[in-house]
Amino acid sequence: MWRPSRSRHALDNSLQGPQTPQHSRYPPAVPAWSPALDLALRYRVGGYREFVPPAGLARLAEAVWTHRTPVQLPAQGPRFHRVLPDPSLTLTFGCRRDAQGRVTAGQLTVLGPSTKPHLFWFRPGQEQVAIRLKLEWSRALLGLDPLEHADRSDDASGPLPTLARTALPGLLASRDAREALQRLSSAVTALDDDRLPDLTLRAVELVRRAHGAVTMDAVAVQLGTSPRQLRRRMREEVGIGLKGYARVLRFLRVITEADRSERPAWADLAVGAGYADQAHLVRECRTLCGLTPRELFRERRAQLDEDGRNLKAAAGKAA
């Protein structure tokens, strides 16, 4: 696995500003919450929605996501989202808006890889749009070493001053999440100079396409190199070994598939992701996030969407 360098700060620490009026739903004047860029929805949990990257971002991004919390948080139900281990680096714009959709407080942030689970606490009326970059593009596109940002949340003006200077004014001027995501996507695609992936980049893509269910020896054979050479290149250029990357991808695949179901078939999901059996999945889930798969599933399903509703989990066999 990869190792953190410094402690992570809560993403919303600097999002200060006037509070939106307390209603169970957003005021009618606020533009409707809708997918931007004609995005295809992968899945949703609470106020989180993950989309397939549009054509212009497909080479660079693993996903585009949005999150919005209700203006008024209820006394019952989870008030946080458990962020799972993830080796990717994410650019996110977080803000609050007034009744006319104007940004009252906003920040462009670099979210580093998560080497361990942590809790993201909801704040009323908070909106986020984000682009989760493919692991191999952290250096190639942004010039950032993922390890230097592990388990951290940093104001983008520090590590990415040029991007922050050019992108932030447009993001602050956006009138809804759709426009903000459009502007953030444009800023990221403008950085791409059509460079071609080398051996390391192709290796990461092979692991990604297999959702982590592939051995490093098999990847090395496909690329015509030795496992030793491949491990060295990965450490030097990406900062994480392919084995650790594959481990997390395999786990995230199971959780993502479970999120799409009302009653996950845990044994089938485990085998489909490459685990030996359901017990193997349970052990891995406890190690990576501290809960069983069923406990994690119910916690995620109980999270509220932007209208204060949640997706009820159906009864099923415990895992």
Side-chain angles (χ1 to χ4, degrees):
M1 296 292 286
W2 64 107
R3 299 180 183 279
S5 55
R6 280 171 265 183
S7 62
R8 189 183 190 98
H9 301 290
L11 172 64
D12 55 2
N13 280 351
S14 61
L15 291 178
Q16 304 295 333
Q19 296 293 311
T20 317
Q22 299 295 300
H23 300 295
S24 60
R25 299 174 65 93
Y26 275 80
V30 175
W33 182 252
S34 59
L37 312 176
D38 297 320
L39 297 179
L41 181 68
R42 275 184 180 153
Y43 74 102
R44 55 173 291 196
V45 175
Y48 176 87
R49 288 170 171 77
E50 184 170 302
F51 304 93
V52 177
L57 280 176
R59 197 164 76 101
L60 309 174
E62 287 192 2
V64 172
W65 59 264
T66 62
H67 189 276
R68 196 178 191 184
T69 55
V71 174
Q72 186 173 10
L73 294 177
Q76 303 297 321
R79 302 174 70 88
F80 61 83
H81 172 73
R82 189 180 304 271
V83 179
L84 303 177
D86 189 334
S88 302
L89 187 144
T90 299
L91 294 175
T92 178
F93 175 66
C95 71
R96 290 191 183 88
R97 298 181 185 275
D98 63 17
Q100 285 70 48
R102 294 172 298 205
V103 173
T104 59
Q107 182 181 27
L108 181 62
T109 302
V110 176
L111 292 180
S114 300
T115 69
K116 55 190 176 182
H118 67 274
L119 303 183
F120 170 72
W121 291 89
F122 300 145
R123 301 186 73 177
Q126 188 178 41
E127 172 189 297
Q128 292 173 275
V129 298
I131 297 173
R132 188 167 72 238
L133 294 174
K134 292 180 177 179
L135 175 70
E136 62 270 30
W137 285 104
S138 297
R139 287 183 193 271
L141 191 70
L142 302 177
L144 299 181
D145 181 349
L147 281 181
E148 293 183 357
H149 298 272
D151 296 305
R152 291 181 51 178
S153 161
D154 297 310
D155 188 321
S157 60
L160 299 171
T162 301
L163 178 64
R165 185 169 59 253
T166 57
L168 191 56
L171 292 168
L172 293 173
S174 65
R175 300 305 291 263
D176 58 22
R178 183 188 187 94
E179 183 181 354
L181 190 50
Q182 173 75 63
R183 291 177 181 270
L184 183 59
S185 299
S186 297
V188 171
T189 54
L191 300 174
D192 188 9
D193 61 4
D194 201 34
R195 70 199 90 196
L196 296 176
D198 63 6
L199 179 137
T200 300
L201 305 185
R202 289 183 287 128
V204 177
E205 186 62 29
L206 285 173
V207 175
R208 182 183 299 114
R209 289 178 181 176
H211 303 286
V214 61
T215 67
M216 300 310 100
D217 287 350
V219 173
V221 168
Q222 289 189 59
L223 297 178
T225 188
S226 68
R228 182 177 180 180
Q229 173 75 355
L230 186 57
R231 285 194 295 269
R232 182 183 66 80
R233 293 285 295 274
M234 284 291 296
R235 287 195 301 268
E236 292 176 353
E237 300 174 21
V238 180
I240 175 178
L242 279 180
K243 186 175 181 179
Y245 182 55
R247 180 189 186 190
V248 175
L249 285 189
R250 184 169 57 174
F251 172 66
L252 294 178
R253 178 188 181 185
V254 171
I255 301 307
T256 298
E257 289 299 319
D259 283 338
R260 295 190 178 106
S261 173
E262 291 187 1
R263 185 179 298 174
W266 295 109
D268 293 342
L269 290 178
V271 173
Y275 291 101
D277 51 28
Q278 186 172 335
H280 185 192
L281 168 62
V282 172
R283 292 193 300 271
E284 191 76 337
C285 191
R286 284 188 180 277
T287 299
L288 292 176
C289 76
L291 301 174
T292 67
R294 182 175 176 81
E295 290 169 342
L296 179 62
F297 173 73
R298 287 195 170 277
E299 179 183 274
R300 290 164 72 87
R301 296 284 286 194
Q303 292 173 21
L304 301 176
D305 65 13
E306 65 274 12
D307 292 320
R309 299 172 298 192
N310 61 20
L311 299 173
K312 296 297 183 182
K317 184 178 179 181

